[in-house]
Amino acid sequence: MLFGRKKRKPISIPSKQVSEWKYTTCNYCSTGCSIEIGLNDEKRIVTSRGHAGADVNRGKLCIKGLLEHELFESPGRGTEPLIREKHYESFEKTTWDTALDTTAEKIKEIQEKYGKDSFAIVSTGQLLTEEFYTLGKLARGCIGTNNYDGNTTLCMASAVSGYKRSFGSDGPPGCYDDFEHTHCFMAFGSNLPEQHPIIYWRLKEALEKRKFPLIVVDPRVTMLAQFADIHLPITPGTDCVLINSMMYVIINEGLQDQAYIDAHTQGFDEIKALVQDYAPEKAQHQCGIDEDTIRNVARIYAKAPAAMSIWTMGINQSTHGSDGVVNINNLNLITGNIGKPGGTSLSITGQCNAMGTREWSSCSGLPGYRYLENESDRQEIADFWGIDPEFFPKKRGLAQTDIFPAIETGEIKGLWIVATNPMTSMPNTGRIRKALENLDFLVVQDVYEDVEMNQYSHVYFPASVWAEKQGCHTNTERRVNLIDNVLPPFANSKPDFWIFNQMAKRFENGSVIDFPDEPEQVFNEMKHLSKGNNAYGNDRTLDISGMSYEKLIKARGIQWPYSEEDAAKGIEKGDPRLYTDGKFQTPSQKANLICIDFYDNNEKPCQDYPFWLNSGRVVEHFHTRTRTGKIGNCNKFSPTPYMEMNPDAAAELGIEHQTYVRLTSRRGDAVVLVQLTQRVSRNMVFIPFHFHDCVNRLTLGLLDPYSRQPAFKQCSVRIEPVDQAEAARLNAERRTF
């Protein structure tokens, strides 16, 4: 039992008098579960349940969703705007007008002195899509900084980059329904039972109806790996080697779908030549999987009538993240497994609305998958917003992971952080802490006043949470769903949508660009911009023009593309899959097969730091615990930082179960509680990433050259003894979060 608990309290479910159920969508991960919130006679929220009529979750919820209604009155919530001159001084309460005026004045002052791009904005994957679109208007059209990004760079940037490189556009081509049709399922660095429990339930349900091979590629024996038919405990960071070797077998044994390759792809001859250097007898020494297993898995995958791949952070959070995604796409393209039932490359997205920020926030471009680099895209959005296209930059600015080093060099002087917590989520957090001390001005906008980032802010905006607002999310399978407004904002907090609208009024272009007062009006703008063709003359895949709030509630979510024509025909659901016609969002309408030659720049175990460090999720928590750390039954089951360690390695070092140790890397140290388990190999340890001042004090965070996403999962550490009494004191201090 976790942490050695022997006595279990009996579970009791108190009676909850529900007088009304309100529809909404879960605000945690990207699964996109439909939820009903129960209100009592006093209009207070008392419980929540899954919606049985929803395609996604069919009545099911994980522990986080079941307890999500406790967010509204959880401790630490912001009640009033706060302000101070220096980050080390005490906050004073202030009015919204003063907080907004001060922030706008500071932004203008910094930009006038150091240039427009000296002020940066870092957003999130947690806002509603209408809020993302509005923030994009504000950042791109009013403030005018090019250094504007989201924390999705830490989780989904490699998937976005990989999709664009292979298919010409972002957007997962498959859906959850593919589980029902596939004949082979391969998961790369994805632990569905703990990361996305409801998606795992959908997979498990499909396996119970019809058996098909489940192959898991992961250096750790995760829960999903325990259920697998074949587990490939790969050497960390070498997924591209494994996939190249699989393609060597497939191509040299003539198992590829040559008809699909010839009709719908370009670059096959180059791929065929490249993989000749990755024969299994050679590749096995790099990726750690023996040659017979590589051949067996390649044959199983290629011979399946339909095969699908999924991945999560095990691929994305790597210096080879974008290449890994491209190579998964390569594997599926050469086997003809794109755009058909059961055949897909499906990125399992992280945050609840990471897709919404990818689609509409203008972080990496302009709304609706438009590019800053494309003149016609800049002109179209400038005309629609009513401003000069020259106000837009002509290429993307710094990603989040480049913004913080730019603070060190003095390039960035001011920063606006929206619903994200880099003090815990960024690698090498000691460096981040030092960088924040150099800022002239920091404004933090968050639901919780006690979020760690607020230690360094000059102004704090208390934001509303989840169903205190109204707007949409887009989930992993491109399903748009509605979050309905159930409660008024807590205390004097405000919806993010309201904050962005009010800030826009304080900039010159805010009187030129229309900022609607209602989220549904913003949704109608997005619908208009989703129509038409992309820069190459292809129909936009991201077409939501047939949707409406009413339709979303009725259908419990609609997948895009869903056009006005679909709605006029009475079609109630969007297309479940992209590229079913074999036409891609590239100039040639063919998918790109891209050569991926592996280069090894990982920090590997050595004499001084002999252990691989791996990190990941536990089912009870979400990201940096800003929310789940406040929910009693989430925190109870995972209250403190711990480390999984192999018993044989522990015996060699004289380390006992449930004692504390100190981990040290070349960047910092962390104190954790030891859990001995065979889930990790003798030269590896695993730590959940959710805890402040823990694993990301150690991580290296080298960046992927395409996506700028950090490599959280490949670095080396050593294990040292620590004073047990002092470690216990530190543990108790952390548990009071």
Side-chain angles (χ1 to χ4, degrees), residues 315-385:
I315 290 288
N316 291 343
Q317 290 178 338
S318 165
T319 53
H320 315 105
S322 180
D323 282 351
V325 173
V326 165
N327 236 14
I328 291 171
N329 295 337
N330 286 339
L331 176 65
N332 284 298
L333 286 167
I334 70 166
T335 55
N337 281 304
I338 292 292
K340 71 180 185 183
T344 189
S345 293
L346 184 61
S347 158
I348 305 296
T349 309
Q351 300 181 71
C352 58
N353 203 20
M355 280 299 299
T357 188
R358 289 153 65 174
E359 297 159 359
W360 293 105
S361 73
S362 304
C363 277
S364 61
L366 291 167
Y369 291 153
R370 290 171 173 84
Y371 292 90
L372 285 165
E373 292 79 3
N374 187 284
E375 183 179 358
S376 62
D377 285 349
R378 295 196 306 273
Q379 187 70 55
E380 182 183 5
I381 297 301
D383 290 345
F384 189 75
W385 287 352

Side-chain angles (χ1 to χ4, degrees), residues 135 161 175 319 321 370 390 415:
L135 176 58
S161 172
C175 59
T319 53
R370 290 171 173 84
E390 290 302 311
L415 180 63

Side-chain angles (χ1 to χ4, degrees), residues 125-349:
Q126 297 290 299
L127 300 182
L128 308 180
T129 309
E130 294 82 348
E131 294 171 339
F132 281 132
Y133 176 75
T134 304
L135 176 58
K137 265 188 183 179
L138 173 61
R140 294 290 184 204
C142 295
I143 295 174
T145 179
N146 196 22
N147 293 326
Y148 160 51
D149 198 24
N151 67 11
T152 46
T153 295
L154 304 184
C155 56
M156 301 314 304
S158 290
V160 174
S161 172
Y163 278 146
K164 288 180 177 179
R165 293 167 69 192
S166 295
F167 306 143
S169 177
D170 185 20
C175 59
Y176 304 154
D177 189 57
D178 284 320
F179 300 159
E180 305 282 343
H181 302 283
T182 196
H183 294 264
C184 180
F185 183 91
M186 195 165 184
F188 293 86
S190 181
N191 183 18
L192 287 180
E194 295 199 79
Q195 294 168 336
H196 301 85
I198 304 305
I199 298 180
Y200 170 68
W201 170 73
R202 291 285 302 268
L203 171 63
K204 188 170 182 288
E205 185 182 56
L207 281 164
E208 288 171 353
K209 292 178 182 176
R210 180 180 49 83
K211 185 69 180 105
F212 50 85
L214 173 58
I215 304 165
V216 173
V217 182
D218 203 298
R220 175 172 166 251
V221 186
T222 62
M223 197 177 296
L224 186 62
Q226 289 175 316
F227 299 138
D229 298 295
I230 301 173
H231 173 216
L232 307 181
I234 196 168
T235 300
T238 61
D239 306 85
C240 292
V241 176
L242 172 66
I243 298 168
N244 278 346
S245 192
M246 289 176 64
M247 290 194 291
Y248 171 95
V249 175
I250 291 167
I251 292 170
N252 284 286
E253 295 186 6
L255 302 177
Q256 74 271 22
D257 186 339
Q258 197 63 49
Y260 185 91
I261 292 168
D262 294 341
H264 304 301
T265 73
Q266 52 196 10
F268 177 70
D269 290 341
E270 291 82 356
I271 287 277
K272 182 177 180 180
L274 171 81
V275 299
Q276 301 311 310
D277 293 333
Y278 290 87
E281 56 269 26
K282 177 182 177 183
Q284 65 180 346
H285 299 294
Q286 284 184 289
C287 69
I289 307 301
D290 69 85
E291 61 175 294
D292 289 341
T293 299
I294 294 174
R295 294 181 190 280
N296 183 41
V297 167
R299 291 163 184 158
I300 291 171
Y301 200 88
K303 291 179 180 179
M308 67 181 294
S309 305
I310 70 161
W311 70 93
T312 317
M313 295 308 121
I315 290 288
N316 291 343
Q317 290 178 338
S318 165
T319 53
H320 315 105
S322 180
D323 282 351
V325 173
V326 165
N327 236 14
I328 291 171
N329 295 337
N330 286 339
L331 176 65
N332 284 298
L333 286 167
I334 70 166
T335 55
N337 281 304
I338 292 292
K340 71 180 185 183
T344 189
S345 293
L346 184 61
S347 158
I348 305 296
T349 309

Side-chain angles (χ1 to χ4, degrees), residues 157 248 299 353 360 395 454 524 528 546 562 588 692 719:
Y248 171 95
R299 291 163 184 158
N353 203 20
W360 293 105
K395 63 178 181 179
N454 220 14
N524 289 334
H528 177 81
Y562 182 73
S588 66
H692 177 61
I719 302 172

Side-chain angles (χ1 to χ4, degrees), residues 602-631:
N602 288 328
E603 182 180 81
K604 294 185 286 294
C606 61
Q607 185 174 353
D608 292 332
Y609 299 93
F611 291 90
W612 285 106
L613 172 63
N614 192 6
S615 65
R617 295 187 198 200
V618 296
V619 69
E620 298 89 357
H621 283 305
F622 186 74
H623 290 196
T624 65
R625 293 171 65 242
T626 308
R627 289 185 288 175
T628 53
K630 312 294 181 61
I631 304 299

